[in-house]
C-alpha cells in the first residue's frame, strides 16, 4: 500500500514460512533462524513502491566470551 507506506511480507527461513502483515515503513520485523536462535535477524523496510520494497537486513553479531 504505497499511500499508507504499509506492506505484507512472507519470510521463508529454515523451511518455515512466516507472514508479517500490515507493517509500516521503518518498523523492524524480527525473526529467528534455527542455527542462530539466540539472536533475531531484523528486516527494516525504508521505502514502498508499486512493485517492490527496499530496506536492509540486520544480522546478529557474534558475541565473544570474556575471560577474567
Amino acid at each position: 500500500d504505497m499511500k499508507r507506506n504499509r506492506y505484507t511480507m512472507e519470510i521463508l527461513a529454515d523451511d518455515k514460512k512466516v507472514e508479517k502483515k500490515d507493517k509500516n515503513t521503518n518498523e523492524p520485523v524480527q525473526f529467528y533462524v534455527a542455527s542462530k536462535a539466540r539472536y533475531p535477524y531484523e528486516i527494516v523496510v525504508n521505502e514502498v513502491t508499486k512493485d517492490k520494497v527496499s530496506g536492509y537486513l540486520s544480522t546478529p553479531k557474534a558475541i565473544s566470551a570474556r575471560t577474567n
Side-chain angles (χ1 to χ4, degrees):
D1 187 1
M2 289 177 16
K3 292 179 184 178
R4 295 185 183 103
N5 285 324
R6 297 178 71 89
Y7 63 95
T8 297
M9 153 186 316
E10 284 186 0
I11 300 170
L12 179 63
D14 288 335
D15 295 329
K16 294 179 185 177
K17 188 187 328 184
V18 178
E19 185 176 40
K20 303 291 187 170
K21 291 184 176 188
D22 297 327
K23 297 296 180 180
N24 294 316
T25 55
N26 297 315
E27 177 182 355
V29 175
Q30 295 182 339
F31 63 97
Y32 289 88
V33 176
S35 62
K36 299 191 185 282
R38 199 168 199 183
Y39 303 103
Y41 282 76
E42 188 174 272
I43 295 176
V44 178
V45 172
N46 301 107
E47 183 181 7
V48 177
T49 60
K50 181 181 177 187
D51 295 327
K52 69 176 184 173
V53 295
S54 59
Y56 63 91
L57 171 68
S58 175
T59 59
K61 295 189 179 1
I63 298 176
S64 60
R66 286 208 269 173
T67 57
N68 291 334

